[in-house]
Amino acid sequence: MSFPLLVSWIFEPMVVLFVICMFAGLHYGLTGWEMGMYGAYISVFTIFIGVTRYILAKRAKTNWDLSDRKKRIVPLFVLAGVFLVNYFIIHAFGNDGLSRYFGLWLASIIGFSLLTTRIKISGHMAVLTMMAVTIIAWYGIWAAPVLITIPFVSWSRIILGLHTPFEVAGGILFTGLMVFLGNVWAVW
């Protein structure tokens, strides 16, 4: 296995999403039984998304990364629907912070899906940038070293030939826009 492929796999969006969702539970005050139930739910949700993505990629006759933009559209909209259901399940936990956070993820996956109908951007970079920005927002400037993952994973996606520099930058900029709009919405 090549080093760029290893980097790409370690920072696979489903892995990153799982990790940041677990941190979100801790950040928004879940403890004990509540955190255990939330962790179990996030584990099942992540596995379900992974299996769904695998099935949809096989049906579309494409690879795990859904590299062909035109073949990404249906799987992404199915995943957006799953994220919508997930949002309501998370909302049922009764934690306003988690509801807002998962609302941002829901808006991001819907926006990403809509954008994909016209251009291809990197999902790896969109999810990784969201994680980095979230960790810095939660833990302050001391968490800034997490930003090193962005150019590192960008490099791996380009070296592997899975994305162009434009697509990688598009994933990063898309998340920047979503975070900005999320902050405007939160203040408004």
Side-chain angles (χ1 to χ4, degrees), residues 2-181:
S2 70
F3 186 66
L5 185 58
L6 178 64
V7 169
S8 187
W9 280 11
I10 289 171
F11 293 98
E12 162 36 59
M14 294 313 305
V15 173
V16 172
L17 183 62
F18 173 79
V19 170
I20 197 62
C21 286
M22 294 306 290
F23 273 104
L26 295 171
H27 178 76
Y28 289 113
L30 299 182
T31 58
W33 180 85
E34 207 174 36
M35 184 62 189
M37 291 300 295
Y38 171 78
Y41 172 72
I42 292 300
S43 298
V44 169
F45 172 70
T46 304
I47 291 167
F48 179 76
I49 289 288
V51 169
T52 302
R53 182 174 160 193
Y54 175 79
I55 291 168
L56 292 170
K58 287 295 180 193
R59 283 192 180 165
K61 295 184 172 110
T62 187
N63 60 7
W64 172 258
D65 286 314
L66 305 168
S67 296
D68 182 341
R69 183 195 59 82
K70 291 179 182 174
K71 292 182 178 182
R72 278 181 158 194
I73 295 170
V74 170
L76 283 173
F77 277 103
V78 169
L79 291 176
V82 171
F83 269 79
L84 178 63
V85 171
N86 176 62
Y87 172 76
F88 288 110
I89 292 171
I90 290 296
H91 189 70
F93 274 84
N95 184 304
D96 289 340
L98 279 177
S99 291
R100 283 191 311 274
Y101 187 64
F102 277 88
L104 180 60
W105 277 107
L106 174 61
S108 293
I109 190 70
I110 291 170
F112 188 88
S113 300
L114 289 170
L115 191 58
T116 296
T117 64
R118 296 286 176 224
I119 64 170
K120 180 181 173 189
I121 62 173
S122 173
H124 272 74
M125 298 317 305
V127 171
L128 183 64
T129 303
M130 180 76 82
M131 180 210 60
V133 169
T134 299
I135 287 175
I136 291 169
W138 289 343
Y139 300 107
I141 195 67
W142 296 106
V146 75
L147 290 172
I148 194 70
T149 60
I150 293 172
F152 198 52
V153 176
S154 296
W155 164 82
S156 77
R157 302 302 287 168
I158 294 167
I159 291 295
L160 291 170
L162 296 168
H163 288 293
T164 65
F166 174 79
E167 293 165 348
V168 166
I172 296 166
L173 293 173
F174 170 76
T175 296
L177 177 64
M178 292 306 298
V179 169
F180 172 76
L181 292 175

